[in-house]
Amino acid sequence: VPEGVQLHCLLCLAENSIGPTSFRNDDVIVPYSGVSVEVCNTDAEGRLVLADGLAYANKDLKAEVIVDAATLTGAQLIATGKNVAALMSDDEELETAAVAAGRRSGDLCHPLPFFSEFYAEGYKSTIADVANIDKDNMNCGSAGAAWFLREQLKDWEGRWLHVDLAGPAFPGDGRATGFGVGLLAE
C-alpha cells in the first residue's frame, strides 16, 4: 500500500439460517445507510449485510474508493459463468483497472452493463424506499443487485466497483477457491 493511503477491509458476513428472529418476507428494515428496505426475498440476505458495510465505509471511514466483492447472485453464473466474475461500476477507469488486474492475477472478470435507470423500477416498494430484490427476474439480476448496493451510497461521490464472484468462488465441488484474493491484491 502506498505511503499515505489507508486500506480497510470490512468483512460483511451473513449466515442464512432460520429462527424466530430471522427476516421474513414483507419485513422492512433500515440498514446503516438509512435507506429503508422491504425484504421480498429472504435468500437475498447477504446484500443487506453488505449494505451496512458500504454505508460504514462511506460514513465512518470516509472512503474515496470502495470495492466490494461478494458471492451475491446466481445470476452472475448465467452472465459470466463459473470461471469469470462479473463487474459493475459507476467508474469506467476503475472497472478497466479491475479487468486488467484480473488478467494479471488469473482472477478473470468481465464488466456487465450498469445503467441505474434500468433497475430502479424493479426495486420499487410500496412500503419502503427500495425492495431487496428485483421483481423482474429477467432484468440482469447481477447488475440489479449491484444497483441495490449502490443505492446504499446515495449521496456519496467517490469511486465504486462491485465484483460478483458467485460462480468462480464455488465452481463445482462446493469448496471455496479463494477467487478474488489475487484480484484485490493486484
Side-chain angles (χ1 to χ4, degrees):
V1 177
E3 189 175 324
V5 173
Q6 291 186 20
L7 177 65
H8 300 272
C9 176
L10 305 177
L11 300 177
C12 307
L13 307 173
E15 180 181 15
N16 189 351
S17 64
I18 58 173
T21 59
S22 297
F23 294 134
R24 292 177 174 83
N25 285 345
D26 300 324
D27 282 353
V28 174
I29 63 168
V30 181
Y32 190 51
S33 67
V35 176
S36 64
V37 179
E38 175 187 2
V39 176
C40 295
N41 184 327
T42 57
D43 196 36
E45 79 291 347
R47 67 189 68 184
L48 301 174
V49 176
L50 188 50
D52 278 341
L54 294 173
Y56 181 83
N58 172 25
K59 291 180 177 184
D60 294 88
L61 299 177
K62 309 290 187 221
E64 296 173 14
V65 177
I66 295 176
V67 176
D68 71 79
T71 57
L72 201 64
T73 68
Q76 175 275 311
L77 285 128
I78 296 167
T80 58
K82 293 181 179 180
N83 299 306
V84 179
L87 299 177
M88 279 90 17
S89 182
D90 56 8
D91 185 287
E92 189 174 349
E93 184 181 324
L94 187 57
E95 185 177 79
T96 300
V99 170
R103 288 188 176 135
R104 287 191 303 273
S105 68
D107 286 352
L108 301 175
C109 43
H110 188 75
L112 292 183
F114 187 70
F115 304 100
S116 61
E117 64 271 20
F118 293 162
Y119 310 110
E121 184 67 30
Y123 281 81
K124 280 188 177 177
S125 168
T126 58
I127 60 174
D129 295 325
V130 295
N132 77 325
I133 195 162
D134 193 333
K135 290 162 190 65
D136 178 359
N137 65 1
M138 299 302 287
N139 192 23
C140 194
S142 190
W147 175 87
F148 171 85
L149 296 174
R150 184 63 179 91
E151 282 296 291
Q152 308 306 308
L153 298 168
K154 245 189 171 5
D155 298 323
W156 181 68
E157 296 185 17
R159 300 167 65 202
W160 167 79
L161 173 76
H162 168 66
V163 184
D164 191 338
L165 45 81
F170 298 96
D173 65 3
R175 296 181 56 91
T177 63
F179 186 98
V181 174
L183 173 67
L184 296 175
E186 188 66 34

Short mmCIF file of all heavy atoms in Angstrom, two decimals, residues 2-3 10 21 26-27 29 36 44 50 56 58 62-63 75 91-92 96 102 106-107 112 125 132 138 155 173:
data_model
loop_
_atom_site.label_atom_id
_atom_site.label_comp_id
_atom_site.label_asym_id
_atom_site.label_seq_id
_atom_site.Cartn_x
_atom_site.Cartn_y
_atom_site.Cartn_z
N PRO A 2 0.66 2.15 -0.93
CA PRO A 2 1.49 3.36 -0.98
C PRO A 2 1.40 4.18 0.32
O PRO A 2 0.37 4.19 1.00
CB PRO A 2 0.89 4.15 -2.14
CG PRO A 2 0.13 3.16 -2.95
CD PRO A 2 -0.32 2.10 -1.99
N GLU A 3 2.50 4.86 0.65
CA GLU A 3 2.53 5.69 1.85
C GLU A 3 1.43 6.75 1.79
O GLU A 3 1.18 7.35 0.74
CB GLU A 3 3.90 6.36 1.98
CG GLU A 3 4.09 7.06 3.30
CD GLU A 3 5.49 7.61 3.47
OE1 GLU A 3 6.45 6.98 3.00
OE2 GLU A 3 5.60 8.69 4.07
N LEU A 10 -13.41 -4.64 5.19
CA LEU A 10 -14.58 -4.89 6.01
C LEU A 10 -15.15 -6.25 5.61
O LEU A 10 -15.38 -6.50 4.43
CB LEU A 10 -15.64 -3.81 5.77
CG LEU A 10 -15.18 -2.37 6.00
CD1 LEU A 10 -16.30 -1.41 5.66
CD2 LEU A 10 -14.72 -2.18 7.42
N THR A 21 -35.96 -14.92 15.04
CA THR A 21 -35.56 -13.54 14.76
C THR A 21 -35.10 -13.36 13.32
O THR A 21 -34.60 -12.29 12.96
CB THR A 21 -34.43 -13.10 15.71
OG1 THR A 21 -33.30 -13.98 15.53
CG2 THR A 21 -34.89 -13.13 17.16
N ASP A 26 -41.76 -9.32 3.49
CA ASP A 26 -42.55 -8.14 3.85
C ASP A 26 -42.03 -7.41 5.08
O ASP A 26 -42.60 -6.38 5.46
CB ASP A 26 -44.04 -8.45 4.03
CG ASP A 26 -44.66 -9.00 2.75
OD1 ASP A 26 -44.25 -8.55 1.66
OD2 ASP A 26 -45.53 -9.88 2.84
N ASP A 27 -40.97 -7.89 5.73
CA ASP A 27 -40.34 -7.10 6.79
C ASP A 27 -39.75 -5.85 6.15
O ASP A 27 -39.32 -5.87 4.99
CB ASP A 27 -39.20 -7.87 7.46
CG ASP A 27 -39.67 -8.91 8.47
OD1 ASP A 27 -40.89 -8.95 8.75
OD2 ASP A 27 -38.81 -9.66 8.96
N ILE A 29 -36.68 -3.19 6.94
CA ILE A 29 -35.52 -2.91 7.78
C ILE A 29 -34.90 -1.60 7.33
O ILE A 29 -35.07 -1.19 6.17
CB ILE A 29 -34.50 -4.07 7.76
CG1 ILE A 29 -33.94 -4.26 6.35
CG2 ILE A 29 -35.10 -5.36 8.26
CD1 ILE A 29 -32.74 -5.17 6.30
N SER A 36 -34.55 2.67 3.67
CA SER A 36 -35.38 1.56 4.14
C SER A 36 -35.54 0.51 3.06
O SER A 36 -35.63 0.82 1.87
CB SER A 36 -36.74 2.07 4.62
OG SER A 36 -37.47 2.64 3.57
N ALA A 44 -31.87 -13.33 -0.18
CA ALA A 44 -31.01 -12.23 -0.60
C ALA A 44 -30.53 -11.46 0.63
O ALA A 44 -30.57 -10.24 0.68
CB ALA A 44 -31.75 -11.33 -1.59
N LEU A 50 -24.08 -6.50 3.42
CA LEU A 50 -23.12 -5.74 2.62
C LEU A 50 -23.52 -4.27 2.54
O LEU A 50 -22.67 -3.37 2.54
CB LEU A 50 -23.00 -6.35 1.22
CG LEU A 50 -21.92 -5.82 0.31
CD1 LEU A 50 -20.55 -5.78 0.98
CD2 LEU A 50 -21.86 -6.66 -0.97
N TYR A 56 -20.99 2.02 6.13
CA TYR A 56 -19.93 2.25 7.12
C TYR A 56 -18.68 2.80 6.44
O TYR A 56 -18.06 3.76 6.93
CB TYR A 56 -19.61 0.96 7.88
CG TYR A 56 -18.55 1.13 8.93
CD1 TYR A 56 -18.89 1.62 10.19
CD2 TYR A 56 -17.23 0.82 8.66
CE1 TYR A 56 -17.91 1.80 11.16
CE2 TYR A 56 -16.25 0.99 9.62
CZ TYR A 56 -16.59 1.49 10.86
OH TYR A 56 -15.61 1.67 11.81
N ASN A 58 -18.53 4.52 3.81
CA ASN A 58 -18.84 5.88 3.41
C ASN A 58 -18.87 6.82 4.61
O ASN A 58 -18.13 7.79 4.69
CB ASN A 58 -20.18 5.89 2.67
CG ASN A 58 -20.69 7.28 2.38
OD1 ASN A 58 -19.94 8.23 2.29
ND2 ASN A 58 -21.99 7.41 2.25
N LYS A 62 -14.97 7.38 5.56
CA LYS A 62 -14.83 8.46 4.55
C LYS A 62 -14.02 7.99 3.35
O LYS A 62 -13.15 8.68 2.84
CB LYS A 62 -14.18 9.70 5.17
CG LYS A 62 -14.82 10.18 6.44
CD LYS A 62 -16.18 10.76 6.21
CE LYS A 62 -16.71 11.39 7.50
NZ LYS A 62 -18.09 11.15 7.74
N ALA A 63 -14.33 6.77 2.88
CA ALA A 63 -13.58 6.17 1.77
C ALA A 63 -13.76 6.97 0.49
O ALA A 63 -14.84 7.47 0.20
CB ALA A 63 -14.05 4.74 1.56
N ALA A 75 -27.39 -15.14 -10.65
CA ALA A 75 -27.47 -14.54 -11.98
C ALA A 75 -26.08 -14.28 -12.57
O ALA A 75 -25.90 -14.27 -13.78
CB ALA A 75 -28.26 -13.23 -11.93
N ASP A 91 -17.68 3.84 -12.43
CA ASP A 91 -16.42 4.49 -12.77
C ASP A 91 -15.68 3.63 -13.79
O ASP A 91 -15.15 2.57 -13.46
CB ASP A 91 -15.58 4.67 -11.49
CG ASP A 91 -14.31 5.44 -11.74
OD1 ASP A 91 -13.37 4.88 -12.34
OD2 ASP A 91 -14.25 6.61 -11.32
N GLU A 92 -15.66 4.07 -15.03
CA GLU A 92 -15.09 3.27 -16.12
C GLU A 92 -13.60 3.00 -15.92
O GLU A 92 -13.11 1.91 -16.20
CB GLU A 92 -15.32 3.97 -17.46
CG GLU A 92 -14.95 3.12 -18.65
CD GLU A 92 -15.33 3.76 -19.98
OE1 GLU A 92 -16.06 4.77 -19.99
OE2 GLU A 92 -14.87 3.25 -21.01
N THR A 96 -12.01 -0.70 -15.74
CA THR A 96 -10.94 -1.12 -16.66
C THR A 96 -9.73 -1.62 -15.89
O THR A 96 -9.11 -2.63 -16.27
CB THR A 96 -10.55 0.05 -17.58
OG1 THR A 96 -11.71 0.45 -18.33
CG2 THR A 96 -9.44 -0.32 -18.55
N GLY A 102 -7.47 -8.51 -13.10
CA GLY A 102 -7.95 -9.88 -13.21
C GLY A 102 -7.10 -10.70 -14.18
O GLY A 102 -6.80 -11.87 -13.91
N GLY A 106 -5.04 -13.76 -12.73
CA GLY A 106 -5.72 -15.00 -13.07
C GLY A 106 -7.15 -15.05 -12.57
O GLY A 106 -7.89 -15.99 -12.87
N ASP A 107 -7.57 -14.07 -11.80
CA ASP A 107 -8.95 -13.96 -11.33
C ASP A 107 -9.72 -13.14 -12.37
O ASP A 107 -9.92 -11.93 -12.21
CB ASP A 107 -9.03 -13.28 -9.96
CG ASP A 107 -8.58 -14.19 -8.82
OD1 ASP A 107 -8.36 -15.39 -9.06
OD2 ASP A 107 -8.46 -13.68 -7.69
N LEU A 112 -20.35 -5.97 -16.67
CA LEU A 112 -21.73 -6.09 -17.13
C LEU A 112 -22.30 -4.69 -17.32
O LEU A 112 -21.81 -3.74 -16.71
CB LEU A 112 -22.59 -6.82 -16.09
CG LEU A 112 -22.30 -8.30 -15.87
CD1 LEU A 112 -23.30 -8.87 -14.86
CD2 LEU A 112 -22.35 -9.08 -17.16
N SER A 125 -40.75 -0.24 -4.07
CA SER A 125 -41.52 -0.83 -2.98
C SER A 125 -42.62 0.15 -2.58
O SER A 125 -42.40 1.36 -2.62
CB SER A 125 -40.60 -1.09 -1.77
OG SER A 125 -41.37 -1.41 -0.63
N ASN A 132 -35.43 -5.50 -1.63
CA ASN A 132 -34.09 -6.10 -1.62
C ASN A 132 -33.82 -6.98 -2.84
O ASN A 132 -32.73 -7.51 -2.99
CB ASN A 132 -33.83 -6.88 -0.33
CG ASN A 132 -34.51 -8.23 -0.27
OD1 ASN A 132 -35.62 -8.41 -0.77
ND2 ASN A 132 -33.86 -9.18 0.38
N MET A 138 -35.83 -11.35 -14.89
CA MET A 138 -35.20 -11.41 -16.21
C MET A 138 -34.51 -10.08 -16.56
O MET A 138 -34.29 -9.76 -17.71
CB MET A 138 -36.25 -11.74 -17.28
CG MET A 138 -36.92 -13.09 -17.07
SD MET A 138 -35.76 -14.46 -17.03
CE MET A 138 -35.34 -14.56 -18.75
N ASP A 155 -25.68 9.52 -1.47
CA ASP A 155 -25.10 10.86 -1.50
C ASP A 155 -23.58 10.86 -1.55
O ASP A 155 -22.95 11.89 -1.34
CB ASP A 155 -25.59 11.67 -0.29
CG ASP A 155 -27.10 11.84 -0.31
OD1 ASP A 155 -27.67 12.02 -1.40
OD2 ASP A 155 -27.71 11.78 0.77
N ASP A 173 -17.28 -28.33 -6.89
CA ASP A 173 -17.35 -29.34 -5.83
C ASP A 173 -17.81 -28.78 -4.49
O ASP A 173 -17.80 -29.49 -3.49
CB ASP A 173 -16.00 -30.04 -5.67
CG ASP A 173 -14.89 -29.13 -5.20
OD1 ASP A 173 -15.16 -27.93 -4.93
OD2 ASP A 173 -13.75 -29.61 -5.09
#
